[in-house]
């Protein structure tokens, strides 16, 4: 099979396309013929050796994939030919992937491979952050930073479905137009407008929640725009720097600041995880939410896809067609 290989830590341009042996299913695992794989910002960090966990090289990146089952091991509740979507920390950017059966679900009828691959990680991250961490209620103002990115646009989609009012903040008119098309009630171009002033102007007394997958210079003005008792959820640092938050603001306004990491959420909060996943799958199956796919690349151009994400050019999800 063909696969993208990270032979040494570095930029996307160092990745190579290689022939590798086909994987073999063992107990509790399955081999999937990959049809589509989604690119996520952590993939960029993993190949550069900058993620929280380091994967020894060489390895095939890609954590989110959809395709057809071609082989199963003992104890696996799927059969060859089933259409499935799954996650595996690495291995997705290849023609075949070995995936734990516990990390795989059936693709709903009527959903194509690209939409299935682009749904899982970003939508789970956004829904846990909105539902369980920020505890967003109908009518709340929710500020989404990096609103045109994978997690950001998922958060816009989900918050609208939950009945919240979304203020989408992003860095270009093109990105903000997509956010409006996805239901954002208001938008702010944080590279050209005063983020704090615009949020306060639009929301009146301030927002009830901020979701921040970006970090950098945008976090503090968004924090300052929260209403008393508001919730700030930090999800990542795509801007490249980790912000320092003045704790006196947290104290004076009674703000809650909490982090959420998708990798550990199920272990830390098993009951909330099960509830959220059931609700999220129902929203997806009902067609109430669906990922926006902004760009697609063939497997041979995976490096270009990762560079596209690394340079913050992506709008919604970036998909690798395998």
């Amino acid at each position: 099979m063909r696969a993208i290989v990270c032979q040494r830590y570095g930029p996307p341009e160092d990745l190579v396309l290689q022939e590798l042996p086909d994987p073999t299913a063992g107990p509790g695992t399955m081999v999937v013929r990959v049809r589509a794989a989604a690119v996520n910002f952590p993939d960029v960090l993993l190949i550069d050796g900058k993620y929280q966990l380091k994967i020894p090289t060489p390895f095939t990146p890609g954590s989110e994939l959809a395709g057809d089952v071609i082989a199963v091991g003992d104890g696996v509740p799927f059969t060859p030919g089933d259409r499935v979507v799954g996650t595996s920390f690495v291995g997705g950017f290849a023609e075949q992937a070995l995936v734990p059966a516990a990390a795989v679900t059936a693709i709903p009828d009527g959903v194509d491979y690209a939409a299935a691959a682009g749904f899982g990680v970003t939508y789970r991250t956004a829904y846990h952050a909105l539902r369980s961490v920020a505890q967003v209620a109908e009518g709340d103002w929710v500020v989404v930073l990096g609103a045109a990115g994978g997690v950001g646009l998922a958060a816009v989609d989900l918050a609208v479905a939950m009945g919240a009012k979304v203020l989408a903040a992003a860095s270009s008119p093109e990105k903000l137009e997509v956010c409006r098309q996805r239901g954002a009630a208001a938008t702010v171009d944080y590279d050209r407008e005063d983020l704090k002033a615009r949020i306060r102007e639009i929301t009146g007394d301030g927002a009830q929640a901020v979701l921040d997958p970006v970090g950098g210079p945008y976090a503090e003005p968004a924090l300052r725009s929260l209403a008393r008792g508001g919730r700030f959820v930090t999800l990542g640092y795509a801007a490249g720097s980790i912000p320092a938050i003045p704790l006196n603001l947290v104290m004076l306004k009674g703000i809650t600041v909490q982090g959420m990491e998708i990798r550990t959420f199920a272990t830390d909060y098993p009951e909330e995880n099960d509830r959220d996943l059931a609700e999220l799958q129902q929203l997806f199956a009902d067609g109430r939410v669906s990922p926006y796919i902004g760009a697609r690349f063939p497997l041979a151009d995976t490096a270009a896809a990762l560079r596209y994400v690394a340079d913050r050019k992506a709008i919604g999800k970036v998909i690798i067609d395998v």
Side-chain angles (χ1 to χ4, degrees), residues 7-322:
Q7 296 177 328
R8 61 183 182 276
Y9 297 130
E13 292 74 18
D14 288 350
L15 296 172
V16 296
L17 181 64
Q18 288 184 203
E19 285 286 339
L20 296 180
D22 293 348
T24 302
T29 66
M30 59 205 301
V31 178
V32 175
R33 171 59 175 97
V34 181
R35 303 297 181 183
V39 180
N40 294 291
F41 187 72
D43 298 324
V44 177
L45 300 179
L46 273 172
I47 65 172
D48 206 17
K50 294 180 179 178
Y51 193 64
Q52 293 96 318
L53 297 178
K54 285 195 174 185
I55 303 298
T57 57
F59 67 91
T60 292
S63 61
E64 196 170 19
L65 58 96
D68 306 307
V69 177
I70 57 176
V72 299
D74 292 340
V76 174
F78 291 94
T79 59
D82 288 346
R83 298 171 69 245
V84 296
V85 58
T87 57
S88 182
F89 201 49
V90 294
F93 299 153
E95 291 178 328
Q96 297 182 28
L98 183 66
V99 187
V104 172
T105 58
I107 297 175
D109 292 341
V111 175
D112 65 22
Y113 294 113
F119 182 76
V121 172
T122 53
Y123 272 77
R124 289 202 308 271
T125 300
Y127 197 65
H128 291 324
L130 290 163
R131 176 76 161 92
S132 291
V133 182
Q135 299 178 21
V136 168
E138 185 174 354
D140 281 355
W141 272 108
V142 177
V143 175
V144 180
L145 304 183
V151 171
L153 211 49
V156 172
D157 197 19
L158 287 165
V160 170
M162 296 168 70
K165 295 175 290 188
V166 176
L167 194 164
S171 60
S172 74
E174 178 188 14
K175 292 179 177 180
L176 294 175
E177 175 58 28
V178 173
C179 293
R180 286 189 288 270
Q181 292 172 8
R182 301 290 280 186
T187 58
V188 175
D189 185 333
Y190 48 40
D191 282 352
R192 295 168 179 80
E193 300 179 85
D194 184 319
L195 181 60
K196 174 191 170 185
R198 288 289 289 135
I199 293 173
R200 295 307 296 263
E201 177 186 339
I202 291 166
T203 63
D205 292 333
Q208 282 69 50
V210 171
L211 266 62
D212 181 14
V214 180
Y218 313 110
E220 184 176 332
L223 181 90
R224 289 179 179 273
S225 74
L226 278 168
R228 176 167 294 280
R231 288 87 67 195
F232 185 100
V233 186
T234 178
L235 297 169
Y237 311 102
S241 60
I242 299 174
I245 297 297
L247 288 179
N248 63 311
L249 298 177
V250 177
M251 178 189 70
L252 292 172
K253 299 180 73 173
I255 292 167
T256 298
V257 178
Q258 188 170 342
M260 203 291 292
E261 186 188 18
I262 188 64
R263 184 176 57 88
T264 57
F265 187 83
T267 302
D268 293 341
Y269 306 100
E271 292 182 6
E272 290 88 344
N273 180 72
D274 292 346
R275 178 201 64 196
D276 290 357
L277 291 183
E279 294 174 356
L280 183 58
Q281 284 300 118
Q282 193 62 55
L283 286 168
F284 188 39
D286 290 346
R288 294 181 60 195
V289 296
S290 183
Y292 178 90
I293 297 172
R296 302 176 78 146
F297 294 79
L299 182 64
D301 291 342
T302 296
L306 285 158
R307 171 54 60 195
Y308 193 71
V309 171
D311 289 347
R312 296 177 58 202
K313 294 180 179 178
I315 299 178
K317 292 299 296 185
V318 174
I319 297 295
I320 306 296
D321 292 306
V322 183

